[in-house]
Amino acid sequence: MTVSKLVCTPVSYVGWGALEQLWPEAAKFDPSRILLVTDAFLEKMGMIDPIAARLRQEGCDVQIYTDVVPEPPLEIGEKLVAYTREGKFDLVIGIGGGSAMDLAKLAAALGTHEGSVADYLNLTGTKKLEHKGLPKILIPTTSGTGSEVTNISVLSLETTKDVVTHDYLMADVAIVDPQLTLSVPPRVTAATGVDALTHAIEAYVSVNASPTTDGLALQAIRLISRSLRRAVADGQDRQARTDMSYGSNMAGIAFFNAGVAGVHALAYPLGGQFHISHGESNAVLLPYVMGYIRSSCTKRMADILQAMGGYASYMSEEEASRKCVEELERLVKDVGIPSTLQGFNIPQSAIDSLTEDGVQQKRLLARSPLPLHKEDIRAIYQSAFDGAVPQS
């Protein structure tokens, strides 16, 4: 019998109005100087000042740091860690999408360590985290990345991506309030939503899946697949936004424990080389990767289709797994994301370099139910370029 392990954020609040728990939880760390990591867009929209004002009412010195960009390059991480070390903070709060939360994790963990961020990268780093660092509270404003419940911080390099990953990057508290997602524009809602769906799907077919992660992943698929189109069409739909927040959070826990695989491995080079958002990189590749590996996880693909509400009693597992790939392709199109690499202006000549970088993502590829070698990765990229979803 296999023993499965489940790692979760110690404290999570999920639901409408969960933000009210911020100060009660922050107070437990007795903070005097707080670093609030967010992005300039959220500050400009007026979302951050009321949160900072509430913390200041309690006598805290709050510094708002907004040098945050999507798919943050390594240099942005280095700059923030240096700022944190100089600032003598005793609590870090990350508010925003995955980039803001990933950077907040870096600030908290590496702010009390020596060396550069590059020294701690998964693929090339030589240093290991030795202690937990500063306490951190993470608050997502999108429904997609699951960063609030993972121990990973993703950084863009010259042509690909790498991560700093350690349990010391786990949040002490996660606060997931759907109300904060109401103003997210349709394109970002779509990209982050398909990202969350990809987390759940890859966790469910992962070689490291367990009964616990299966339950989380399938419920996440149910919630996201029934609500994503509605959230994109009407950002003020409270029920759709709530479903997406719960779905994203559960998908995050599922993939953090079971792992993601081929879709993410091939998405990283798209973001690194062409600066396509992580969510859109996953979305454009999702049907192609799942179509390519379908024969290795037919039963599980049928389960995914059932969770998406598209399963019919007359279907065999083979038929249902094929239908699942079609439904994924349809969903990506329905929410307005380009369905081919050409739709992102990626040339045929890039397939070689994408393949070379994709092969390097061994940490992710190891979880695929179908081993993906260089020739497989090239074939998937070619399919995504041609717009011909493979049906193995």
Side-chain angles (χ1 to χ4, degrees), residues 35 65 79 101-102 136 170 181 186 197 209-210 227 245 257 278 285 295 351:
L35 172 60
Y65 188 94
K79 182 179 177 181
M101 291 188 288
D102 279 8
K136 49 198 165 299
M170 290 289 290
T181 70
L197 181 63
S210 72
S227 302
S245 287
N257 286 276
H278 177 63
L285 291 170
S295 61
I351 290 178

Side-chain angles (χ1 to χ4, degrees), residues 166-230:
H166 194 286
D167 282 351
Y168 289 151
L169 271 71
M170 290 289 290
D172 295 277
V173 181
I175 297 176
V176 184
D177 191 333
Q179 192 167 358
L180 298 177
T181 70
L182 290 177
S183 60
V184 177
R187 180 170 179 173
V188 178
T189 298
T192 55
V194 180
D195 188 20
L197 181 63
T198 304
H199 292 154
I201 289 171
E202 290 212 281
Y204 190 64
V205 301
S206 168
V207 297
N208 295 329
S210 72
T212 305
T213 61
D214 286 351
L216 289 164
L218 287 174
Q219 180 63 1
I221 292 168
R222 292 186 192 102
L223 291 171
I224 295 166
S225 60
R226 81 184 188 193
S227 302
L228 179 54
R229 291 178 177 91
R230 288 164 43 210

